[in-house]
């Protein structure tokens, strides 16, 4: 190697030596970079894990469930006809259908001594068909009500209703007070992801619902349709349920609401990533400050090296490599911390762990850029120090 010429290995060794001589300052400067990278990766990782959990739920529940309700609009809109569920089941595109109808004047109590005003806001619904089966619902205990209109009095509690009533099991010894009579609880549902409004409801056969004042009109009809014909099924269902006035029927897909919620979460994630970017910028400023101070403290070293034949570009490259190494160390630490936070949070929530590779690669790439930008001025300043001035500091 000729005089004043340095290879990549020489620069790397010089850079590592410069960092080892000031460990405390290096740790504090690298910590600023680490916090920024960790924040960005943790936010992206947690968001990705949340989406993965949502995708898993949707894959299990299916995206081919449609909810048919009374259309929302101005003027008087008639309720769904009492033939809505049979009409939906007659369509070739429909694989299964079930419905519920609200009983507005009925209330449910834990026992007959609870004051009438303390209804806890729980609703009562008559049912058509197997609602949990259509919506992909699961049971915590028991089974679904017998949906036949002539079925004996029985109830199934939504997850929220069971919690509000303080009931955690179903069976012959568990009953609630409804309509002036004791009615056996035959089942308790888990939360229903595709119809969260049903969690605070109590479900009864239509015969019991009619004795409580039910008018016979369903409030909502849930249909599971052919996966390849979901869009076509929207218009078909409205016309099938209300042939004369399909505009009075609203058809929505519950999975769209879940996807919309995820999109809303994306906006919040973008904000948090921006905050992580600001933290990363602050860390870069800390690295630049450290390198400027390092140059001032090592003027004597620069002078000696220049006197021994080192060129300006050798001095510049040495300090630039130190800055890059300092930022890279912080970036690696940040990636480890960010991934660790993501894994811990996702496992705590029961989510699959998903850390995008682009986030890790982008984080490390950002540290290289930050390190390069932060080291440019200090490196150029070190290279411009006159040898005579630098040696005067020895």
């Amino acid at each position: 190697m000729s005089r004043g010429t340095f290879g990549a290995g020489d620069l790397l060794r010089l850079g590592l030596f410069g960092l080892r001589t000031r460990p405390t300052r290096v740790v504090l400067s690298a910590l600023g970079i680490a916090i920024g990278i960790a924040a960005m990766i943790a936010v992206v990782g947690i968001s990705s894990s949340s989406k993965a959990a949502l995708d898993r739920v949707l894959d299990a529940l299916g995206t081919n469930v449609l909810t048919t309700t009374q259309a929302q609009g101005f003027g008087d809109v008639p309720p769904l006809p009492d033939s809505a569920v049979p009409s939906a089941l007659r369509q070739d595109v429909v694989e299964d259908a079930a419905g519920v109808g609200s009983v507005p004047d009925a209330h449910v109590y834990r026992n007959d001594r609870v004051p009438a005003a303390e209804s806890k806001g729980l609703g009562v619904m008559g049912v058509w068909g197997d609602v949990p089966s259509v919506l992909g619902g699961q049971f915590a205990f028991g089974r679904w009500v017998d949906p036949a209109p002539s079925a004996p009095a029985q109830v199934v509690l939504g997850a929220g209703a069971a919690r509000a009533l303080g009931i955690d099991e179903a069976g012959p010894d568990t009953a609630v007070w409804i309509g002036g009579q004791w009615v056996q609880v035959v089942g308790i549902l888990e939360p229903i992801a595709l119809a969260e409004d049903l969690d605070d409801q109590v479900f009864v056969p239509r015969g019991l619902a009619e004795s409580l004042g039910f008018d016979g009109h369903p409030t909502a009809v849930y249909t599971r349709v052919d996966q390849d014909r979901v869009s076509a099924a929207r218009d078909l269902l409205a016309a099938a349920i209300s042939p004369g006035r399909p505009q009075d029927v609203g058809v929505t897909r519950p999975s769209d609401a879940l996807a919309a919620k995820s999109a809303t979460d994306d906006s919040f994630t973008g904000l948090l990533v921006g905050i992580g970017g600001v933290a990363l910028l602050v860390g870069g400023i800390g690295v630049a400050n450290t390198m400027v101070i390092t140059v001032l403290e090592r003027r004597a070293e620069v002078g000696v090296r220049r006197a021994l034949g080192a060129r300006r570009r050798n001095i510049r490259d040495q300090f630039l490599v130190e800055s890059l190494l300092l930022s890279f160390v912080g970036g690696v630490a940040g990636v480890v911390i960010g991934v660790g936070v993501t894994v811990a949070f996702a496992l705590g929530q029961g989510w699959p762990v998903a850390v995008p590779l682009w986030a890790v690669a982008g984080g490390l790439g950002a540290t290289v850029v930050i390190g390069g930008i932060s080291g440019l001025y200090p490196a150029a300043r070190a290279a411009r120090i006159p040898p005579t001035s630098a040696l005067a500091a020895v």
Side-chain angles (χ1 to χ4, degrees), residues 57 60-62 65 130-139 189-194 224:
V57 170
L61 298 178
V65 173
D130 193 338
V131 176
S133 176
V134 175
L135 292 175
Q138 301 294 325
F139 282 88
L189 290 168
E190 296 280 5
I192 301 178
L194 292 180
R224 190 170 289 273

Side-chain angles (χ1 to χ4, degrees), residues 121-283:
L122 304 179
V124 177
M125 288 190 158
V127 301
W128 285 259
D130 193 338
V131 176
S133 176
V134 175
L135 292 175
Q138 301 294 325
F139 282 88
F141 291 97
R143 57 171 177 81
W144 185 236
V145 298
D146 184 343
S150 59
Q154 53 191 274
V155 303
V156 166
L157 306 179
R163 185 167 53 252
L165 293 170
I167 296 175
D168 55 10
E169 61 180 0
D173 298 328
T174 305
V176 293
W177 185 255
I178 179 172
Q181 61 179 311
W182 289 102
V183 181
Q184 180 186 345
V185 177
V186 297
I188 298 175
L189 290 168
E190 296 280 5
I192 301 178
L194 292 180
E196 294 180 350
D197 56 312
L198 298 184
D199 289 343
D200 293 326
Q201 304 297 322
V202 176
F203 306 94
V204 301
R206 290 203 309 282
L208 176 57
E210 289 169 0
S211 71
L212 298 173
F214 180 43
D215 63 4
H217 293 283
T219 306
V221 176
Y222 306 102
T223 54
R224 190 170 289 273
V225 301
D226 186 335
Q227 183 71 58
D228 298 326
R229 300 171 64 188
V230 173
S231 297
R234 292 176 184 256
D235 296 332
L236 182 62
L237 281 171
I241 289 175
S242 182
R245 294 181 60 86
Q247 68 272 19
D248 292 339
V249 178
V251 182
T252 59
R253 185 160 63 167
S255 57
D256 289 344
L258 294 177
K261 180 178 181 298
S262 177
T264 302
D265 292 342
D266 285 345
S267 300
F268 186 62
T269 297
L271 173 63
L272 293 180
V273 169
I275 294 174
V278 172
L280 185 59
L281 177 61
V282 172

Side-chain angles (χ1 to χ4, degrees), residues 7 32 35 149 154 236 247 250 252 304 312 327 336 343 348 357 376:
I35 290 173
Q154 53 191 274
L236 182 62
Q247 68 272 19
T252 59
V304 171
R312 283 189 174 185
S327 296
V336 172
V343 170
L357 182 60
L376 282 176

Side-chain angles (χ1 to χ4, degrees), residues 87-113:
S87 296
L89 283 169
R90 283 195 293 268
Q91 309 309 308
D92 292 338
V93 71
V94 175
E95 298 175 352
D96 197 4
V100 294
S102 177
V103 187
D105 297 326
H107 300 289
V108 180
Y109 304 94
R110 185 64 184 88
N111 56 59
D112 56 352
R113 295 183 295 277

Side-chain angles (χ1 to χ4, degrees), residues 33 283-292 294-295 315-327 367-384:
I33 294 289
I285 294 173
V287 170
N289 181 63
T290 296
M291 295 308 301
V292 168
T294 298
V295 169
I315 303 298
R316 180 198 62 207
D317 292 346
Q318 175 188 347
F319 284 94
L320 186 57
V321 167
E322 285 190 24
S323 177
L324 289 170
L325 286 173
L326 179 57
S327 296
T367 63
V368 174
V369 173
I370 291 292
I373 294 175
S374 302
L376 282 176
Y377 171 71
R381 179 172 180 172
R384 289 196 301 268

